[in-house]
Amino acid sequence: MAARAVTVLAVLSGCLAVVSAGSPAGGSPAVPGAACSRARFPVTLVGDASAQVSGLLCRPAGDRGRPLQVLLSGATYDSRYWLLPSAPGKPSYVGWMLAHGQPVLAVDRPGTGASGRPAADLLTMTSEADAVHQVVGQLRSGAVPGGRFGRIVLVGHSVGTSVALVEAAAHHDVDGVVASGFLHSYGPRLGTLFGDMHPAADDPRFAGATEPPGYLTTVPGVRAGYFYDAADSSPLVIGVDEATKSTVTTGEESTIPAAADPAVSKAVSVPVLAAVGENDQLFCGGPLSFPCTDSGAIIRNEQSFYSPAAQLEGYVLPGAGHVLNLHDNSTQWFTAANGWLNRHFPA
């Protein structure tokens, strides 16, 4: 099963070499002239002075002065969320951006992928935001191979968006935020998601691994119902998603709601793009939410949670569920994100 997952993942990604079902390696994407390399960032978490954040730093051919996108995945995902396409032959988010001249850093948030495994209670929205702040500082100072980046945009998905908003609100050191897979509302399936998680150590996906106590993942077979819309996604991709799923910690779980405090988003003083799937069951269409029909609906319902400085824009990917990158029409979302970046941060 693990060997098959690796083979399928390699075929799907097209831009990522996979050395095992749990450890993505650096490689060059299938974009002429583009190149990727593994970047490692030493960070300090409260109670753990030896933590490390790993990421895949990818640069397009030539230097067009575009801002660096720092990509932060959601709960039970790692950097592969940004590296997998929605079907063989289609581009991933990383591949699309590189083809359009945009540099990216696909991050394994602390506790995921090739990053360190701190104790579960040390990983909170605040501590992760502080770790991202340290990564941003190293990118701006040129402390890692790849050069010095003068402009940086945080691009989050779901919990990754929560981390991005907390970071931008607390540290004011980035130039923009793309907030995908996140709204200040609650869809019909958000409340049951953590009830369908169990210790990662008990999951077949992590057999033989040493995931620490307090590290959780989704129980087998539930990801399609929470993260996808069946009419706009491939069973093959959902199968790869299950075979390569990551973790979330009890510390993150207990602090995620605090990131939705309007005081956080109101403190973000840079442009924000809020993007969701039309059929996102975690944030849209429930009694405590609103129908995610179009960008106007997003702006009307989210505007009050942001300051005027955010210049809030909205985007809805038609027919998609929670994981925008992995739906059949994902390139529509990539195009919208690229357009927003070009408007706010021209070369």
Side-chain angles (χ1 to χ4, degrees):
M1 173 65 181
R4 182 178 181 276
V6 170
T7 301
V8 174
L9 179 58
V11 170
L12 277 175
S13 67
C15 68
L16 180 67
V18 176
V19 296
S20 75
S23 177
S28 295
V31 177
C36 295
S37 61
R38 179 60 61 180
R40 303 188 188 280
F41 304 86
V43 299
T44 299
L45 299 176
V46 175
D48 185 345
S50 60
Q52 178 178 266
V53 170
S54 179
L56 197 66
L57 179 60
C58 298
R59 306 195 70 162
D63 185 356
R64 306 180 195 177
R66 302 292 189 187
L68 176 68
Q69 298 178 58
V70 176
L71 313 178
L72 305 169
S73 59
T76 74
Y77 287 90
D78 57 25
S79 60
R80 278 173 289 202
Y81 174 71
W82 308 98
L83 293 156
L84 284 172
S86 59
K90 290 190 176 182
S92 65
Y93 185 96
V94 165
W96 178 272
M97 290 299 168
L98 288 173
H100 290 78
Q102 307 276 12
V104 295
L105 172 67
V107 170
D108 288 324
R109 291 186 297 104
T112 72
S115 291
R117 296 291 189 275
D121 62 349
L122 296 181
L123 289 180
T124 66
M125 296 297 98
T126 298
S127 69
E128 288 201 43
D130 188 62
V132 173
H133 168 59
Q134 294 174 61
V135 169
V136 169
Q138 293 174 54
L139 289 166
R140 288 198 183 279
S141 69
V144 295
R148 180 178 301 180
F149 294 91
R151 295 187 295 176
I152 294 175
V153 174
L154 299 182
V155 181
H157 176 256
S158 196
V159 166
T161 289
S162 296
V163 173
L165 290 174
V166 172
E167 198 283 341
H171 300 289
H172 302 282
D173 60 349
V174 297
D175 300 280
V177 175
V178 176
S180 73
F182 172 92
L183 296 172
H184 292 82
S185 62
Y186 298 90
R189 302 217 64 189
L190 185 61
T192 61
L193 175 59
F194 280 91
D196 274 332
M197 293 193 184
H198 66 164
D202 296 341
D203 196 281
R205 157 73 176 89
F206 298 96
T210 55
E211 298 303 313
Y215 278 61
L216 312 173
T217 194
T218 50
V219 298
V222 303
R223 296 176 78 79
Y226 283 107
F227 301 147
Y228 290 85
D229 186 281
D232 189 31
S233 57
S234 161
L236 177 61
V237 171
I238 296 171
V240 172
D241 185 328
E242 178 71 35
T244 60
K245 65 187 178 184
S246 188
T247 57
V248 63
T249 70
T250 51
E252 292 167 324
E253 177 186 3
S254 65
T255 58
I256 288 171
D261 184 341
V264 173
S265 51
K266 280 185 177 294
V268 176
S269 56
V270 294
V272 175
L273 171 65
V276 293
E278 178 184 13
N279 299 324
D280 187 334
Q281 293 294 294
L282 302 188
F283 290 99
C284 300
L288 299 177
S289 183
F290 56 91
C292 296
T293 51
D294 53 35
S295 61
I298 303 304
I299 295 172
R300 284 193 301 273
N301 287 278
E302 286 287 292
Q303 188 90 61
S304 63
F305 295 106
Y306 292 89
S307 74
Q311 305 171 53
L312 182 68
E313 295 184 36
Y315 176 76
V316 174
L317 181 60
H322 183 59
V323 288
L324 285 74
N325 290 10
L326 304 180
H327 281 74
D328 288 344
N329 58 344
S330 59
T331 55
Q332 295 179 35
W333 141 239
F334 302 163
T335 300
N338 185 56
W340 180 87
L341 286 160
N342 288 336
R343 287 195 304 275
H344 287 276
F345 311 102

